[in-house]
Amino acid sequence: MEAESQLIGQGPKVLAQVRHERILEALARRGAVSVRDVASEFAVSEMTVRRDLIELEKEGRLVRAHGGAVRTSKAIDAAPASSIDREEPVFEARLTRNLAAKHAIASAAAKVVAGAQTLAIDVGTTTFLLTGLLLDRPHTKIFTNSVRNATQLASARGEVYLPGGQMRRAEMSISGPLAVSQFEALWFDIAFVGVSGITAQGIYDYSFEDTEMKRVYLRRATKSVVLCDSSKFDRMSLVHIASLQQFDMLITDAAPRSDLAAGLAAAEVEVLIASRTNDGAGPARG
């Protein structure tokens, strides 16, 4: 805002050039920017920022994605186009993808819960299936930023908590500084985190809005568990959530391959392979 005020009187074209330069500087430092953050910094509308991003994408200087943009780095340029998910499919479409695998993962996750009394459950399709298996737990407190999860848990015997904040309508998730600060003050026995992709470099998500809460779950849990079906192996999307070293367990439906398997082993992540045939889980792998 201060930078913008110093340039008043220089005309809209100059101001747009300054925004473009600052956006590119932020991309160079962080790898990604959000429309909301840029609009707040320059005291302009989000529509203005989206136009800036469109112009910069036409020049080949960034890649637009849901809620913001990522830089055109060597890592992204070198990756096959099919390995980068730039747009977030709607919840209902995601729910039907690899449904048998997701049911198996959810069943294995429900067994991991065991005697835990405070659970954090992230937004996502597999986490949504998990909540449906946790209705009969009278002494459990469940914290979630998903309105879908909370609605499904309405008949649960345990206690269910949602944070305050802004709801992202498409995902029905609660996010923002208030939500983050409320859950940052808590400590969970187990946190279950959903992701859009996983590589040897870490875990990814589509949305800036939801990512900070995922990081809260990872930080504030005695045991942090990532739920990810094997179709998401070696795939990236807009936001890098965390490295492999920042969570404790991966529950999936197939053994990770090559570099990913080596990265998980080096990070000492326990890998639990869920069985699709008997809703059990295979032996854990380090």
Side-chain angles (χ1 to χ4, degrees):
M1 184 178 287
E2 181 181 347
E4 189 84 346
S5 64
Q6 291 173 351
L7 292 162
I8 291 175
Q10 296 191 42
K13 191 169 183 179
V14 174
L15 293 177
Q17 290 172 346
V18 171
R19 285 197 307 275
H20 291 184
E21 290 172 4
R22 298 291 173 79
I23 289 169
L24 295 172
E25 288 172 2
L27 285 173
R29 291 194 307 272
R30 303 195 297 268
V33 296
S34 73
V35 169
R36 180 184 297 175
D37 288 347
V38 175
S40 175
E41 178 181 353
F42 287 100
V44 295
S45 69
E46 293 189 5
M47 183 60 69
T48 296
V49 176
R50 290 191 181 94
R51 286 197 294 266
D52 290 337
L53 298 183
I54 289 170
E55 290 181 32
L56 289 168
E57 185 176 51
K58 286 178 180 177
E59 296 172 7
R61 306 181 78 179
L62 55 75
V63 176
R64 286 187 301 137
H66 177 78
V70 296
R71 67 186 176 195
T72 51
S73 66
K74 290 182 181 178
I76 292 178
D77 290 341
S82 60
S83 71
I84 304 172
D85 300 315
R86 296 189 172 96
E87 295 294 332
E88 181 176 28
V90 297
F91 181 90
E92 291 75 14
R94 300 197 327 267
L95 185 61
T96 60
R97 292 181 181 177
N98 305 298
L99 187 57
K102 292 177 179 180
H103 273 298
I105 293 167
S107 294
K111 292 181 174 68
V112 168
V113 169
Q117 295 186 323
T118 57
L119 303 176
I121 303 182
D122 188 20
V123 297
T125 53
T126 309
T127 52
F128 175 74
L129 295 174
L130 170 60
T131 60
L133 303 176
L134 301 177
L135 303 182
D136 189 22
R137 295 185 60 86
H139 304 297
T140 304
K141 292 180 172 64
I142 300 177
F143 298 82
T144 182
N145 61 317
S146 166
V147 176
R148 281 191 180 90
N149 288 352
T151 301
Q152 183 166 225
L153 289 164
S155 61
R157 297 178 65 192
E159 300 174 21
V160 182
Y161 299 86
L162 274 166
Q166 181 177 7
M167 186 176 77
R168 187 159 76 95
R169 294 177 184 174
E171 195 64 17
M172 293 183 68
S173 59
I174 306 296
S175 61
L178 179 59
V180 168
S181 65
Q182 286 177 341
F183 276 18
E184 187 74 73
L186 305 174
W187 191 262
F188 313 108
D189 292 332
I190 304 178
F192 293 98
V193 177
V195 299
S196 63
I198 181 170
T199 73
Q201 285 68 51
I203 50 178
Y204 296 81
D205 189 55
Y206 298 104
S207 166
F208 280 103
E209 293 90 341
D210 294 335
T211 299
E212 195 52 48
M213 189 65 83
K214 293 175 188 288
R215 292 175 179 147
V216 169
Y217 292 150
L218 294 176
R219 288 194 299 267
R220 304 299 295 172
T222 299
K223 185 171 190 174
S224 51
V225 181
V226 169
L227 307 183
C228 178
D229 71 80
S230 56
S231 70
K232 300 173 183 177
F233 289 174
D234 303 312
R235 300 194 70 83
M236 299 182 294
S237 51
L238 176 62
V239 187
H240 181 264
I241 303 167
S243 68
L244 301 180
Q245 287 78 11
Q246 292 173 270
F247 60 94
D248 303 301
M249 174 183 280
L250 170 67
I251 303 181
T252 186
D253 63 305
R257 302 179 292 269
S258 59
D259 289 350
L260 177 55
L264 289 163
E268 300 183 348
V269 174
E270 181 182 358
V271 179
L272 192 64
I273 310 299
S275 167
R276 302 191 194 190
T277 56
N278 58 13
D279 288 335
R285 303 163 186 256

